[in-house]
Amino acid sequence: MRFLIISHALHYKKNTSLFSYAPYVREINLWLKHVDQVEIVAPFSNKATSKIDLDYKHNDLKFTKIPEVALTSVFSIFKSLIVLPYIILMLFKACYKADHIHLRCPGNIGLLGCLVQMFFPSKTKTAKYAGNWDPKAIQPKSYIIQKRILSNTTLTKKMNVLVYGKWENQTKNIKPFFTATYTKNELVSFKEKNYDSQLNFIFVGSLVEGKRPLLAIKIVESLQELGYNCKLDVFGNGILKTELENYIVSNQIKNVCLHGNQTKETIKKYLEKSHFSILASKSEGWPKAVAEAMFYGVIPIATSISCVPFMLDYGKRGILIDPELNSALKVIEKYLLKSTELTEIAKQSQIWSQQYTLDYFESEIKTVLTV
């Protein structure tokens, strides 16, 4: 099988290897174990790889680089319009040669892939929609267009669309799916933690407005002011890093540390000793940071978006908050006052998350590819 991947993820070269964002590549490598040839059509950067990048594993891999598409300014829109015909031509050529077309959505390149795949109704296809599939969610127009094209079985034929969560009134090609980070070999037994001493919090995610890292810091700061002995470790980089550093210094907040991007192994060590994770995102698909924390019995504190309420069993496997400091504090403190119940929440959290291993994920991929 000649397997084509159309993605907006930025790619890098190091020696003869092709790299991209590690959680994405870690998943893609499982798909690649079951195909003969691979072509990846995606944007490319000459920048050096970082700690959060990983290389593809396949002996017959072709990379076709295309320009990035951005709609964030007048100049970027103008530039994108100029390169658009070339990108569409590359996508048509790649789709023509492919036996199976795999789209990574949502994203600007994913949107173009959604349009081009309509001209290849006889080819088998999959789309991994890694965003929020909730039909009621307020989203950018490009995301809405992608969802409509993918769920229209007249325009999109012979495709399984893998989405996070189970939603009502969906077309037959929409398949509830999940993602994973750890293998069966990484399963650990539940270890009861002490919630009456220092409470260790962790934030894992990009330091951008959509992930609300400042709210995570303010929550821990407020808990300290209320007399709780807490610590917060923040993992990730982004445009808000300097602002967060300034906030921590100017408010003289103790026990809050920004670690930047770190490897999966380093984060795992911190998860093993953490009590709570905080991810009050504005939008998510299946937030890996939440599932990864739960895998190690860390109680997630998250906003009620996408399939997060399902993941947290509506409060039985974690703490659902509103993205407002005082409201979030009231909910969190209500849980902290019932420390005996926290152990059971953590246990149920871990039991649920450990169902979703990379081994199980790979078996589900094989099923999708053979349909």
Side-chain angles (χ1 to χ4, degrees):
M1 178 195 292
R2 187 178 176 90
F3 189 69
L4 169 64
I5 302 168
I6 297 173
S7 171
H8 63 274
L10 204 54
H11 286 65
Y12 314 88
K13 279 277 182 76
K14 184 177 179 182
N15 299 325
T16 58
S17 297
L18 183 67
F19 286 73
S20 190
Y21 181 55
Y24 157 73
V25 176
R26 194 173 290 115
E27 175 196 319
I28 288 294
N29 279 338
L30 296 178
W31 292 81
L32 302 191
K33 288 166 72 173
H34 308 286
V35 300
D36 304 306
Q37 295 176 294
V38 186
E39 181 174 5
I40 300 170
V41 181
F44 178 77
S45 171
N46 286 316
K47 291 181 180 178
T49 58
S50 71
K51 289 181 180 179
I52 58 169
D53 295 317
L54 188 68
D55 60 321
Y56 289 91
K57 306 292 185 186
H58 201 276
N59 292 326
D60 192 349
L61 188 151
K62 176 187 176 184
F63 178 66
T64 301
K65 64 179 178 181
I66 55 173
E68 284 188 271
V69 175
L71 306 173
T72 53
S73 66
V74 174
F75 176 74
S76 65
I77 292 172
F78 179 70
K79 186 179 176 183
S80 296
L81 288 173
I82 291 174
V83 300
L84 204 56
Y86 173 76
I87 295 173
I88 291 173
L89 177 62
M90 291 298 101
L91 293 180
F92 263 98
K93 283 185 174 180
C95 287
Y96 178 77
K97 292 183 288 184
D99 298 313
H100 186 103
I101 300 167
H102 181 66
L103 304 181
R104 305 298 296 194
C105 299
N108 293 325
I109 302 301
L111 173 57
L112 296 177
C114 286
L115 296 171
V116 172
Q117 64 82 26
M118 293 190 290
F119 294 88
F120 299 90
S122 63
K123 294 189 185 262
T124 59
K125 312 176 194 81
T126 48
K128 176 72 180 292
Y129 193 92
N132 184 358
W133 191 261
D134 184 352
K136 297 176 183 177
I138 299 172
Q139 295 180 317
K141 285 185 180 179
S142 64
Y143 287 25
I144 295 170
I145 292 170
Q146 286 171 74
K147 289 165 78 171
R148 286 179 178 172
I149 294 173
L150 292 173
S151 59
N152 187 318
T153 52
T154 301
L155 299 175
T156 302
K157 295 185 181 298
K158 297 187 75 171
M159 179 185 280
N160 282 314
V161 183
L162 313 178
V163 307
Y164 296 138
K166 192 171 184 179
W167 308 98
E168 294 182 350
N169 304 317
Q170 299 297 307
T171 48
K172 62 182 181 180
N173 66 330
I174 307 301
K175 312 292 184 185
F177 218 66
F178 62 98
T179 190
T181 302
Y182 303 113
T183 66
K184 274 185 180 179
N185 292 335
E186 293 174 286
L187 290 171
V188 293
S189 302
F190 178 72
K191 292 180 181 178
E192 192 170 327
K193 296 172 183 175
N194 185 357
Y195 296 95
D196 295 318
S197 58
Q198 177 176 283
L199 298 173
N200 297 322
F201 290 76
I202 188 170
F203 171 97
V204 181
S206 300
L207 305 184
V208 296
E209 194 62 43
K211 300 290 184 181
R212 295 192 178 103
L214 182 57
L215 179 58
I217 292 172
K218 286 183 175 181
I219 286 172
V220 170
E221 176 191 17
S222 299
L223 287 171
Q224 289 176 353
E225 290 172 353
L226 290 170
Y228 290 95
N229 179 11
C230 348
K231 178 176 181 288
L232 172 64
D233 290 291
V234 178
F235 292 91
N237 276 331
I239 58 173
L240 295 181
K241 184 178 180 180
T242 301
E243 179 185 329
L244 299 177
E245 288 173 336
N246 291 338
Y247 183 85
I248 292 166
V249 172
S250 60
N251 289 277
Q252 299 180 328
I253 309 172
K254 297 178 180 179
N255 291 331
V256 174
C257 184
L258 304 185
H259 298 274
N261 287 333
Q262 296 295 332
T263 63
K264 170 188 166 186
E265 289 70 28
T266 298
I267 293 173
K268 185 162 63 171
K269 288 177 183 176
Y270 277 82
L271 286 173
E272 289 172 343
K273 59 185 180 182
S274 293
H275 297 86
F276 300 93
S277 72
I278 305 178
L279 191 67
S281 298
K282 290 183 179 180
S283 180
E284 287 287 353
W286 177 289
K288 278 190 174 182
V290 171
E292 289 166 6
M294 296 170 77
F295 197 93
Y296 288 98
V298 182
I299 298 173
I301 299 171
T303 38
S304 186
I305 51 168
S306 185
C307 60
V308 173
F310 158 74
M311 295 173 74
L312 273 57
D313 195 14
Y314 307 91
K316 294 178 183 176
R317 289 192 288 257
I319 302 172
L320 292 166
I321 60 169
D322 291 325
E324 192 277 320
L325 180 60
N326 291 328
S327 170
L329 272 176
K330 286 179 182 177
V331 174
I332 294 168
E333 193 170 21
K334 195 179 292 183
Y335 278 86
L336 292 179
L337 293 172
K338 302 175 182 177
S339 59
T340 53
E341 295 180 17
L342 292 175
T343 298
E344 184 60 24
I345 293 171
K347 185 177 182 180
Q348 293 305 317
S349 171
Q350 183 169 330
I351 290 171
W352 177 84
S353 183
Q354 289 193 352
Q355 298 175 82
Y356 301 103
T357 61
L358 284 170
D359 310 78
Y360 177 40
F361 186 75
E362 185 178 352
S363 70
E364 292 298 294
I365 287 172
K366 285 176 67 176
T367 302
V368 170
L369 284 173
T370 53
V371 169

